[in-house]
Amino acid sequence: MPKSKKSSTPLNLNEPQYYINRELSWLEFNNRVLHEACDSRTPLLERLKFLAIFSSNLDEFFMVRVAALKQQVEAKVSQLTPDGRTPQQQLDDIRLNLIPQFTKQHQHFEQVVRPLLASHGIHILDYINLTQKQRTYLDNYFEEQIFPVLTPLAVDPSHPFPYISNLSLNLAVVVKNPDTDEELFARVKVPNVLPRFLPLPPDLATQENGQQSYWTGVPLEQAIAHNLDSLFPGMNIQEYHPFRITRDADLALEEDEADDLLLAIEQELRKRRIGGSPVRIEIQSQTPEPIRNRLLEDLELTESDVYEVDGLLGLRDLMSFMALPLPELKDPPRQSVVPTRLQRLREPSLDADTDVMEVEEGRDFFSIIREKDLFVHHPYQSFSATVVRFITHAAHDPNVLAIKMTLYRTSGDSPIVNALIAAAENGKQVSVLVELKARFDEENNIYWARRLERVGVHVVYGLVGLKTHSKTVMVVRREKDRMRRYVHIGTGNYNPKTARLYTDLGLFSCREELGADITDLFNFLTGYSRQKSYRELLVAPVNMRDRFLELIRREIANAQNGFSGRIVAKMNSLVDPQIIATLYEASRAGVQIDLIIRGICCLRPGLPDISENIRIISIVGRFLEHSRIYYFHNNGQEEIYIGSADWMRRNLDRRVEVITPIQDPDIAKDLQEILGIMLADNRQAWDLQADGSYIQRRPGEDCPEANSQITFINMALRSTSIATNLVDSPKGSLLTES
């Protein structure tokens, strides 16, 4: 029952005290990632993984968000955020909140994780602790494998301070000329073409209690540092100090002025490789003041840009240890399964002469979709056996005439792109929108765009001023005397690799209304259509914002008229002020609202007379929660939607996004079950507090642990027979993923 009805006191729901700062909310999300690395319940190598993810996330945060704030300060931007902060105030608060997290990460690695690794036979040693035999081996390795790659750079009046590339690890070196006693400064870049951690051979591995270790090695920068005399012969090495630089890496692209978008982005990518202005320097805490000051002066940084480390810099490189074949130190292996309805399909054979797949009539992928809509839940259900299979079958089916698709991000060896190429070579009409502006995937997308163009695919690069973020495929197939359109609408990228790590949803359908809407969408993307309405789809920036506001306000009206009002939504981020203010109105009217928001959330739940009917959780675990689900009670006539958009300004106003209603009652029931399981999570769920902090749920003494992601793994396994899958697939690999 509602805790309150709408107060008669008028309130300005746009006041800053009702909003959490976006950047600080993101830091809270990354802090939850760090918690997984510090949680003793997390398997040891998975803890290393989360430490690496925390670092990698921070790198991108500085390259994009902090860099943008610095530019605003430099440009003297005075506009306040919805929570009432200036750009400089945000930078100050970011540092204030981040320093404890940053310190905690490095202390936990050095004091807890590193000793635990050693107890399991994984020894990340410091050079000074090596035995003489180990040093001799490493010194020889340096001369043969490392030394030829290095380029020491002197810094003096005739050698200006060298350019320090983005995310590079370096050594600041002080040497003394023995003839003049003059101290000289130099920089040595730690090459990223070599492994960050150098393994020692098994016969030199560290032994403890008579047991030989599984892996023993040292950081690359230490192997270099202890062989600097080879780089500076005749000089006396005085000291060395590692440091790491982060630069502005966002593309500054003026689309309106770019005659050729692909060429313009390529030029910007060349600039990114060099990097923009420095925004952060990481140094070891014992770095002497003169070296520290020199680096800050030459890099034009200030003390507020310095992040001190006790121990190793650049912990994102710890991800490499996940390659160790030690399953007992990782999450239990997981097997993606095939949806039950697809299990009765046998794999089609490919005719070597005609390159056409031969399929038993009435038992192809399309026949399954014709029966009723098909719902898929990744990674619990196989991406390869569903999405990849659908596109591959379409590419070789002689009755398929056209394939249209949006590609935001895909993998470097994408079977989907290879299927599209095969479709074009088979004479089908293939049109693909490749989003060149997908941040940090631009180069990969340019590569695929060119490959597709070379085989005759119609490649479109999107709309000026908008990123195309929708996840849609349409297949046009001739069936007897009619054309039928088959569509897939998803919440995640068409990327087989990330599909194993991200939770996402997808809908396959051949309903006429959806097919017509997707046709109109592609005309909007590839032509000059100014489509303003759609039959079923919510499309940004056309009708999505207005439709979501209508759906929320309908719940408000129901609550005000004495009926129950209920909203449940799952997304990555909630930032849009208009949506937030409308949710506040709904709460004040008595609408019960549960939100599952993985990352940024700017809404304050639990405020008396404002948001006391709103509850918000975040789930951080083995898989990255990426799916978007929107449920509205509608006085018993429930409506539920899935798609690509979060409730953020960029998604609603500056991107092409697609949200689809779910018409099939069985799929709607499945989605409600997914939401219910996640809301009941007491292992990986965190409750957002009104002050912006999060408290992790923990099961009570008599309450069993409810881990939603493990529940979904078990549900998927129970719904299918792995043995049947292997029988149906001679190769096996298409139907199961590990």
Side-chain angles (χ1 to χ4, degrees):
M1 292 295 293
K3 293 182 180 177
S4 66
K5 289 293 183 180
K6 186 169 183 177
S7 169
S8 59
T9 306
L11 289 173
N12 178 6
L13 296 176
N14 295 314
E15 290 184 4
Q17 67 263 32
Y18 301 140
Y19 294 83
I20 299 170
N21 181 263
R22 171 196 169 123
E23 315 304 345
L24 300 185
S25 181
W26 185 90
L27 289 180
E28 278 291 327
F29 160 67
N30 211 33
N31 195 38
R32 298 194 292 280
V33 173
L34 178 58
H35 177 87
E36 290 298 307
C38 300
D39 193 326
S40 59
R41 296 173 294 178
T42 306
L44 185 55
L45 288 182
E46 303 292 339
R47 295 171 74 174
L48 275 188
K49 178 189 75 175
F50 281 111
L51 286 171
I53 293 172
F54 177 87
S55 289
S56 181
N57 286 349
L58 267 189
D59 286 343
E60 186 169 331
F61 180 70
F62 273 90
M63 288 189 290
V64 178
R65 302 301 304 179
V66 172
L69 288 171
K70 281 178 162 287
Q71 290 174 3
Q72 291 176 32
V73 170
E74 188 175 335
K76 299 182 179 179
V77 172
S78 58
Q79 183 176 354
L80 301 181
T81 56
D83 62 292
R85 283 177 167 86
T86 66
Q88 185 59 56
Q89 286 174 327
Q90 291 182 84
L91 287 174
D92 295 341
D93 289 339
I94 286 169
R95 180 172 176 81
L96 185 66
N97 283 267
L98 181 54
I99 288 292
Q101 295 181 20
F102 193 72
T103 302
K104 178 182 177 182
Q105 179 207 19
H106 286 273
Q107 286 181 346
H108 188 75
F109 171 68
E110 296 293 341
Q111 299 173 13
V112 179
V113 174
R114 206 165 171 177
L116 278 174
L117 289 169
S119 71
H120 286 83
I122 302 170
H123 299 273
I124 305 174
L125 302 178
D126 291 319
Y127 186 94
I128 57 173
N129 295 326
L130 297 181
T131 66
Q132 187 55 53
K133 286 185 177 180
Q134 290 172 330
R135 289 191 183 196
T136 300
Y137 168 83
L138 206 58
D139 293 346
N140 290 334
Y141 183 88
F142 173 85
E143 291 295 332
E144 295 174 4
Q145 303 291 332
I146 303 174
F147 177 73
V149 182
L150 301 178
T151 305
L153 296 175
V155 181
D156 56 34
S158 62
H159 298 89
F161 191 82
Y163 189 90
I164 310 295
S165 55
N166 186 33
L167 301 183
S168 63
L169 184 59
N170 306 268
L171 297 177
V173 182
V174 177
V175 300
K176 179 183 282 189
N177 186 329
D179 297 330
T180 64
D181 279 345
E182 180 185 9
E183 287 193 343
L184 304 169
F185 183 82
R187 171 257 188 166
V188 177
K189 180 179 179 180
V190 178
N192 54 18
V193 294
L194 298 175
R196 172 71 192 282
F197 298 98
L198 303 176
L200 293 169
D203 61 314
L204 294 177
T206 298
Q207 295 188 14
E208 286 190 358
N209 302 322
Q211 298 279 334
Q212 194 162 350
S213 79
Y214 190 84
W215 187 96
T216 299
V218 298
L220 172 61
E221 65 270 22
Q222 293 189 18
I224 295 172
H226 287 273
N227 284 276
L228 287 172
D229 52 349
S230 297
L231 292 172
F232 303 97
M235 293 289 184
N236 295 330
I237 308 300
Q238 301 295 102
E239 55 186 320
Y240 64 88
H241 304 281
F243 68 96
R244 186 173 183 268
I245 294 298
T246 312
R247 291 181 176 273
D248 179 353
D250 210 10
L251 298 186
L253 190 66
E254 296 293 338
E255 288 185 69
D256 293 332
E257 300 177 7
D259 295 327
D260 186 328
L261 182 61
L262 187 144
L263 179 61
I265 290 180
E266 283 186 315
Q267 292 170 344
E268 287 297 319
L269 283 175
R270 283 192 283 271
K271 295 178 186 176
R272 177 190 282 170
R273 291 189 191 101
I274 301 171
S277 301
V279 293
R280 175 180 62 158
I281 181 171
E282 297 165 83
I283 61 174
Q284 290 187 329
S285 55
Q286 63 268 31
T287 303
E289 205 69 25
I291 298 296
R292 179 188 183 115
N293 291 339
R294 170 142 202 185
L295 290 172
L296 292 182
E297 180 182 352
D298 288 330
L299 291 166
E300 298 181 347
L301 292 169
T302 67
E303 279 294 331
S304 63
D305 303 314
V306 178
Y307 286 80
E308 294 184 351
V309 173
D310 286 320
L312 295 179
L313 276 64
L315 296 187
R316 66 185 291 163
D317 297 323
L318 293 174
M319 188 66 80
S320 62
F321 287 97
M322 286 299 291
L324 293 177
L326 295 170
E328 66 275 15
L329 300 182
K330 301 179 185 179
D331 284 326
R334 172 196 59 82
Q335 192 156 28
S336 293
V337 302
V338 183
T340 305
R341 288 173 56 199
L342 293 178
Q343 289 182 36
R344 65 178 185 264
L345 295 181
R346 293 189 177 275
E347 284 305 291
S349 58
L350 186 65
D351 188 289
D353 297 323
T354 63
D355 198 31
V356 171
M357 283 190 175
E358 298 178 348
V359 185
E360 184 180 345
E361 184 64 30
R363 290 176 61 83
D364 57 27
F365 203 113
F366 303 107
S367 68
I368 300 298
I369 301 175
R370 285 196 300 273
E371 293 172 356
K372 60 182 298 191
D373 289 357
L374 174 66
F375 168 69
V376 289
H377 190 190
H378 311 302
Y380 315 107
Q381 293 175 318
S382 170
F383 184 83
S384 295
T386 54
V387 177
V388 175
R389 195 179 192 184
F390 171 66
I391 297 169
T392 302
H393 283 200
H396 297 280
D397 187 320
N399 294 316
V400 168
L401 304 182
I403 302 173
K404 299 185 179 185
M405 185 174 189
T406 58
L407 276 180
Y408 189 71
R409 303 184 195 274
T410 192
S411 59
D413 54 350
S414 174
I416 288 176
V417 177
N418 289 332
L420 295 172
I421 290 171
E425 291 173 340
N426 288 338
K428 304 183 190 309
Q429 180 88 3
V430 182
S431 303
V432 180
L433 188 142
V434 178
E435 181 48 77
L436 297 183
K437 302 185 291 294
R439 183 181 285 143
F440 301 119
D441 257 350
E442 300 95 342
E443 192 164 10
N444 188 50
N445 286 3
I446 287 173
Y447 168 77
W448 285 120
R450 285 190 163 143
R451 275 204 64 188
L452 290 166
E453 284 181 325
R454 281 198 295 268
V455 296
V457 172
H458 299 294
V459 178
V460 181
Y461 299 133
L463 304 174
V464 172
L466 298 173
K467 282 186 180 180
T468 301
H469 190 248
S470 60
K471 325 296 183 183
T472 52
V473 180
M474 182 174 71
V475 172
V476 181
R477 192 170 187 263
R478 181 191 292 115
E479 296 177 357
K480 297 181 179 178
D481 57 348
R482 62 169 295 184
M483 295 289 188
R484 195 189 299 270
R485 291 172 287 204
Y486 295 84
V487 303
H488 172 268
I489 300 171
T491 68
N493 301 312
Y494 291 110
N495 187 323
K497 290 184 177 178
T498 58
R500 298 186 181 101
L501 307 173
Y502 292 11
T503 68
D504 273 305
L505 308 170
L507 176 73
F508 293 94
S509 179
C510 62
R511 288 192 292 109
E512 283 295 325
E513 296 84 356
L514 277 186
D517 272 355
I518 294 294
T519 299
D520 289 342
L521 173 72
F522 277 104
N523 289 341
F524 170 65
L525 293 173
T526 63
Y528 289 113
S529 166
R530 296 181 60 83
Q531 190 79 18
K532 294 298 182 184
S533 63
Y534 290 85
R535 299 156 189 82
E536 293 191 4
L537 294 181
L538 282 61
V539 177
V542 180
N543 67 346
M544 186 179 292
R545 175 185 287 279
D546 290 343
R547 183 60 179 146
F548 271 134
L549 291 172
E550 288 172 8
L551 293 168
I552 299 170
R553 287 169 180 153
R554 185 177 64 190
E555 297 300 317
I556 294 174
N558 286 336
Q560 290 173 338
N561 290 326
F563 304 108
S564 60
R566 182 84 168 105
I567 297 171
V568 184
K570 178 182 184 294
M571 67 199 83
N572 296 336
S573 300
L574 171 57
V575 176
D576 186 79
Q578 187 180 20
I579 294 284
I580 292 174
T582 310
L583 289 171
Y584 284 150
E585 291 177 16
S587 174
R588 299 189 77 215
V591 178
Q592 294 299 303
I593 302 170
D594 281 285
L595 304 176
I596 305 165
I597 301 172
R598 181 196 75 209
I600 303 168
C601 180
C602 297
L603 184 153
R604 293 188 185 275
L607 295 174
D609 197 34
I610 300 293
S611 57
E612 57 192 337
N613 291 318
I614 302 177
R615 297 156 297 276
I616 300 174
I617 66 169
S618 169
I619 292 178
V620 177
R622 176 176 181 175
F623 306 121
L624 183 74
E625 290 296 336
H626 193 250
S627 56
R628 290 93 167 183
I629 310 172
Y630 300 96
Y631 166 89
F632 302 91
H633 183 254
N634 190 26
N635 196 25
Q637 302 297 310
E638 299 163 317
E639 291 186 14
I640 195 160
Y641 300 78
I642 66 169
S644 61
D646 296 317
W647 279 345
M648 302 178 73
R649 277 175 170 167
R650 71 184 188 190
N651 297 96
L652 300 174
D653 300 332
R654 300 195 301 273
R655 289 184 172 185
V656 178
E657 305 274 12
V658 168
I659 297 283
T660 181
I662 300 299
Q663 303 289 11
D664 186 287
D666 292 331
I667 297 176
K669 183 179 177 182
D670 288 342
L671 287 166
Q672 290 182 51
E673 184 179 24
I674 288 171
L675 292 173
I677 289 170
M678 299 191 81
L679 290 174
D681 191 305
N682 63 14
R683 165 61 181 89
Q684 295 173 313
W686 297 70
D687 289 299
L688 174 59
Q689 310 301 300
D691 64 358
S693 64
Y694 286 78
I695 297 176
Q696 189 179 44
R697 293 179 177 176
R698 290 192 177 254
E701 289 185 11
D702 299 324
C703 181
E705 184 175 277
N707 182 323
S708 58
Q709 294 185 350
I710 290 183
T711 298
F712 294 135
I713 290 174
N714 292 333
M715 286 173 60
L717 290 173
R718 283 197 301 268
S719 71
T720 187
S721 166
I722 300 301
T724 301
N725 292 350
L726 297 176
V727 169
D728 281 350
S729 174
K731 296 180 180 178
S733 61
L734 180 64
L735 295 182
T736 57
E737 298 165 347
S738 59

